[in-house]
């Protein structure tokens, strides 16, 4: 998705339903799925998603590198991530966040990419506890 404009936009736009939501859709509430699908059919949505990835691979990365070791996030941070897949095998997520803030907590949740949809109760509990302090 971070490839130069407009290759990813054209590829996604050819079959937006299968690009973003391939596989098991039963994790999504029917109303939420309908809204996601409605949005992914809009060229502006596709372009915005690609621009977000492009920024992450370019200007966002450059700004983060300029701040590395110089600036830290000053507010408390809650980091939640999928405990499934490679991320927890590849990284110590909280250790990475500690490079960017002195006040971080969080954990992996037993679900896939869509935390709020796949593990709504656990995601809510973590967020409610964090924001209720």
């Amino acid at each position: 998705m971070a490839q130069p404009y407009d290759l990813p936009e054209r590829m996604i736009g050819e079959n937006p339903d299968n690009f973003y939501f391939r596989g098991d859709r039963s994790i999504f509430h029917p109303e939420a799925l309908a809204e996601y699908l409605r949005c992914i059919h809009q060229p502006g949505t596709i372009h915005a998603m690609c621009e977000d990835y492009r920024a992450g691979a370019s200007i966002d990365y450059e700004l983060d590198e300029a701040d590395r070791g110089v600036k830290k996030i000053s507010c408390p941070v809650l980091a939640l991530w999928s405990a499934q897949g490679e991320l927890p095998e590849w990284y110590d997520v909280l250790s990475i966040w500690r490079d960017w803030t002195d006040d971080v907590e969080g954990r992996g949740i037993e679900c896939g990419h869509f935390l709020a949809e796949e593990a709504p109760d656990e995601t809510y509990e973590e967020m409610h506890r964090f924001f209720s302090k």
Side-chain angles (χ1 to χ4, degrees):
M1 291 176 66
Q3 294 292 316
Y5 176 81
D6 73 339
L7 176 64
E9 284 87 346
R10 286 186 290 118
M11 292 175 67
I12 295 166
E14 285 296 315
N15 193 346
D17 288 348
N18 287 336
F19 168 77
Y20 197 58
F21 295 105
R22 57 190 178 273
D24 182 13
R25 296 180 180 191
S26 68
I27 62 171
F28 299 100
H29 186 281
E31 288 178 33
L33 179 61
E35 183 64 8
Y36 289 141
L37 292 172
R38 182 188 71 77
C39 291
I40 195 63
H41 279 267
Q42 297 178 11
T45 299
I46 296 169
H47 180 64
M49 290 168 47
C50 294
E51 285 295 304
D52 182 50
Y53 275 82
R54 288 182 189 111
S58 60
I59 188 64
D60 290 351
Y61 177 79
E62 292 169 20
L63 293 171
D64 286 347
E65 287 305 301
D67 287 346
R68 186 181 295 277
V70 178
K71 294 181 182 177
K72 283 198 169 190
I73 299 169
S74 59
C75 65
V77 172
L78 174 64
L80 301 175
W81 61 91
S82 168
Q84 298 175 357
E86 292 82 15
L87 185 72
E89 295 173 22
W90 292 344
Y91 303 104
D92 179 344
V93 177
L94 291 179
S95 176
I96 291 170
W97 277 104
R98 285 186 191 103
D99 289 342
W100 295 98
T101 182
D102 292 322
D103 190 358
V104 62
E105 60 183 273
R107 68 181 183 90
I109 294 180
E110 284 300 325
C111 64
H113 180 76
F114 302 97
L115 278 66
E117 286 86 354
E118 295 179 51
D121 294 337
E122 284 183 87
T123 303
Y124 168 79
E125 289 168 14
E126 289 295 329
M127 294 178 71
H128 184 266
R129 181 191 53 72
F130 181 78
F131 289 111
S132 295
K133 293 181 186 180

